[in-house]
Amino acid sequence: MSTRVAALAAAVTLGLGTAPAHAGTEPGAMAKPRLTVNESAGQCRLTVITSIGMSQAQAQYQIDNGASARIEVWADDLVYDNRLYKALPTAMTASRYDGGLIITGQPSVPCVRLDEDGPENFDTEGDEIYVKVVFEGPGYPRMSKSSNVVKGRW
């Protein structure tokens, strides 16, 4: 193995590369959030996770200096997507492995609040929801990204 290849392999192994280790997250960009919904006794727990590509030091700076993130729940409709729920700020952590700023949230809402069509529509297809994660932090423009769509009957 050449010296150049060995040095590159060592940098990647030690996390010294320029790109964050979190797959698919470019520096300064938000990864597509992942949403899952679990229902129990009429309550729906939404689990959301995403990341913003940056170093651990940058992520810690954001946390220490007032960065905020929130989750908004939206109905996925053909004509007009309406916001169903605006959650409280979510948790943020700095990845130990330069995976970026990790944003997680697990708001619990009454499942009836996720009924995007209303009981009068008798929608045979069920309800479709997604979340938007909105991030604001020092030195970064406000950014927002939508998650996958989850279908259910709420």
Side-chain angles (χ1 to χ4, degrees):
M1 182 183 315
S2 74
T3 306
R4 180 179 290 169
V5 172
L8 178 60
V12 170
T13 303
L14 295 173
L16 301 175
T18 58
H22 192 73
T25 308
E26 295 295 322
M30 184 184 295
K32 182 177 178 101
R34 176 78 179 128
L35 168 67
T36 57
V37 179
N38 293 304
E39 183 178 356
S40 177
Q43 286 291 114
C44 284
R45 175 164 305 255
L46 311 175
T47 301
V48 180
I49 186 167
T50 189
S51 65
I52 299 174
M54 61 182 71
S55 71
Q56 180 182 7
Q58 291 168 321
Q60 193 61 54
Y61 177 85
Q62 292 296 313
I63 293 166
D64 294 343
N65 289 283
S68 66
R70 71 176 187 272
I71 296 170
E72 300 176 351
V73 181
W74 290 77
D76 183 40
D77 291 317
L78 294 174
V79 179
Y80 175 74
D81 290 1
N82 56 315
R83 187 171 64 196
L84 300 172
Y85 181 73
K86 183 176 176 179
L88 296 174
T90 63
M92 294 184 286
T93 58
S95 170
R96 294 186 318 208
Y97 305 105
D98 282 345
L101 180 69
I102 309 300
I103 301 170
T104 60
Q106 286 193 314
S108 185
V109 300
C111 292
V112 296
R113 292 199 55 196
L114 302 180
D115 184 358
E116 56 146 338
D117 301 317
E120 66 280 357
N121 288 337
F122 303 105
D123 185 6
T124 59
E125 298 295 317
D127 301 299
E128 304 85 24
I129 63 164
Y130 64 95
V131 297
K132 286 183 184 177
V133 176
V134 181
F135 170 80
E136 296 180 79
Y140 283 83
R142 179 182 178 272
M143 59 179 91
S144 168
K145 200 145 209 183
S146 298
S147 74
N148 55 301
V149 174
V150 175
K151 295 182 179 190
R153 294 193 183 280
W154 300 294

